[in-house]
Amino acid sequence: MKGISHFITGVALATFFPEVVQLGAEGVLLPMLAGIGGILPDTLDFKFARYFEKYDLEIDPGLDPDPEYIADVLAAAMRRAYESGTSQNVMAHTVRLGPDLWREYAIRFDPEAGEVAVRVGPLVNTGQVPYAGTEPAGMEEARRKVGAPLVHTYSSEYKINIFSGPSFRFAREGEDLYVHFLDWHRRWSHSLTLSVVLGGIFGLLFGKWAGLVAGLGFAAHVLEDQVGYMGSNLFWPFTAKRLPGLGLIHSGDAIPNFLTVWTSVALILFNLDRFSPAPLLPPARYLLVAIGAPWLVLGGKYAWDKIQARLEPTSREARRQADIIAEVEEKVE
């Protein structure tokens, strides 16, 4: 979900504790600490972890990308990973032609044919809107045999166009070669175990309520992300792989983010009122009108739209990739 959604969720959760509300009235901004805990997992990933990611190979397509060259390099890295048993981490850089102009190219993994394919696409702007008629004339898709059974964990095709470009980790698991997308994201930083550790550290340094709200905000972020497609490594360091998400929402979808922010603000006001010396809000009526009605109307519309979208010929893997890309683009803008 968006950063503001994670932040305000943490603040709202902190206000459920009357002691925290009272301390806030005295000038101790513990709810803000909970909000900071709520945005910390992605901050660790996008402002720290990704810069320490090491790549075995970086593909620089230049200003005039050659699909034959890119396909050769990818296929060689995939064969190397399969034959040696040592994973290969590959970064595919984008093609920036101007302040708001990029050349798109696509990488496609074809498990049925055992191939990797690359094609050069149109020019696009930073909003990923293509310019009609800008595809290179006469340039065909380049295809290369990998020589290993392929399993792609997200989409079979990845469009590479704006910002820093994606990374792939090719790893042999049993008799199959797995293609992992953005392997560095939501690993150790999105762990419920880490939320407990973080809460303990803050508790020792700043007191039990600081530890509670910081850990709670952090954990809320992890669980909110699990509602999407990508999932997280929930119990690092005891587990090594991301647990796939529930696939109920995309992180960038407007309605879930709006409802999260709206509900959080409504709960903050409700909690501040009920812990005040003279509460004014009728609890049942307020919760029904302020939270129940928006969820019924907007949540119902969103659910209907999702049902309609699932009737379209789009794979779960493609929807999962869209979720990841939407989040990555938000963080690197």
Side-chain angles (χ1 to χ4, degrees):
M1 302 189 80
K2 299 290 186 180
I4 183 61
S5 300
H6 290 308
F7 179 85
I8 200 68
T9 296
V11 174
L13 289 174
T15 63
F16 276 90
F17 301 94
E19 295 85 354
V20 173
V21 173
Q22 180 59 41
L23 288 170
E26 296 172 3
V28 182
L29 300 181
L30 289 180
M32 297 297 291
L33 178 61
I36 293 171
I39 61 175
L40 188 56
D42 281 345
T43 302
L44 290 173
D45 262 358
F46 289 94
K47 304 302 182 184
F48 180 77
R50 75 186 184 110
Y51 295 108
F52 289 88
E53 183 75 358
K54 295 182 179 179
Y55 299 107
D56 301 291
L57 176 67
E58 295 190 43
I59 299 175
D60 183 0
L63 298 179
D64 187 18
D66 179 1
E68 301 286 341
Y69 163 74
I70 298 172
D72 283 337
V73 172
L74 284 169
M78 296 170 76
R79 283 193 290 266
R80 190 159 54 247
Y82 190 76
E83 293 167 1
S84 68
T86 302
S87 65
Q88 295 289 300
N89 207 12
V90 178
M91 161 65 84
H93 289 288
T94 54
V95 182
R96 186 169 190 171
L97 301 177
D100 189 34
L101 187 64
W102 311 74
R103 170 67 73 181
E104 180 179 280
Y105 66 99
I107 296 174
R108 182 166 60 87
F109 301 99
D110 186 346
E112 293 185 2
E115 295 178 337
V116 58
V118 179
R119 73 175 186 277
V120 178
L123 297 175
V124 301
N125 62 22
T126 307
Q128 295 179 298
V129 178
Y131 293 101
T134 59
E135 295 86 352
M139 187 175 291
E140 297 182 354
E141 181 180 69
R143 303 175 65 94
R144 295 293 184 272
K145 289 287 185 182
V146 176
L150 294 180
V151 178
H152 51 79
T153 56
Y154 297 106
S155 177
S156 60
E157 180 172 287
Y158 302 82
K159 291 183 178 179
I160 300 166
N161 42 37
I162 63 174
F163 299 125
S164 61
S167 64
F168 306 92
R169 184 171 66 89
F170 306 122
R172 180 169 182 168
E173 299 180 20
E175 295 302 314
D176 297 320
L177 181 66
Y178 276 72
V179 180
H180 297 285
F181 181 59
L182 289 185
D183 194 58
W184 52 267
H185 186 34
R186 295 194 190 173
R187 291 289 183 178
W188 61 271
S189 64
H190 285 59
S191 164
L192 294 175
T193 312
L194 188 57
S195 72
V196 175
V197 173
L198 177 74
I201 293 173
F202 271 80
L204 290 173
L205 293 176
F206 306 110
K208 66 176 183 179
W209 292 114
L212 176 65
V213 299
L216 196 60
F218 193 103
H221 178 127
V222 175
L223 294 176
E224 283 180 331
D225 279 351
Q226 202 62 24
V227 179
Y229 285 86
M230 187 178 193
S232 304
N233 187 4
L234 295 179
F235 301 106
W236 178 90
F238 305 108
T239 55
K241 296 182 178 181
R242 290 181 297 221
L243 182 68
L246 298 176
L248 299 179
I249 68 168
H250 290 301
S251 65
D253 285 350
I255 289 180
N257 278 281
F258 173 80
L259 284 174
T260 299
V261 173
W262 177 275
T263 302
S264 296
V265 172
L267 289 173
I268 291 170
L269 296 176
F270 175 71
N271 287 330
L272 293 179
D273 177 76
R274 72 189 181 107
F275 294 140
S276 67
L280 300 175
L281 298 175
R285 187 186 307 171
Y286 174 82
L287 294 175
L288 180 63
V289 173
I291 298 178
W295 273 91
L296 180 63
V297 176
L298 294 179
K301 179 185 184 305
Y302 183 76
W304 174 254
D305 290 343
K306 292 287 287 185
I307 292 172
Q308 296 300 111
R310 288 179 185 275
L311 298 178
E312 299 176 0
T314 304
S315 68
R316 177 182 173 87
E317 287 77 15
R319 293 192 295 269
R320 185 177 293 171
Q321 185 206 0
D323 181 51
I324 302 165
I325 291 175
E327 179 176 343
V328 172
E329 288 169 356
E330 177 205 357
K331 300 301 188 302
V332 300
E333 284 180 358

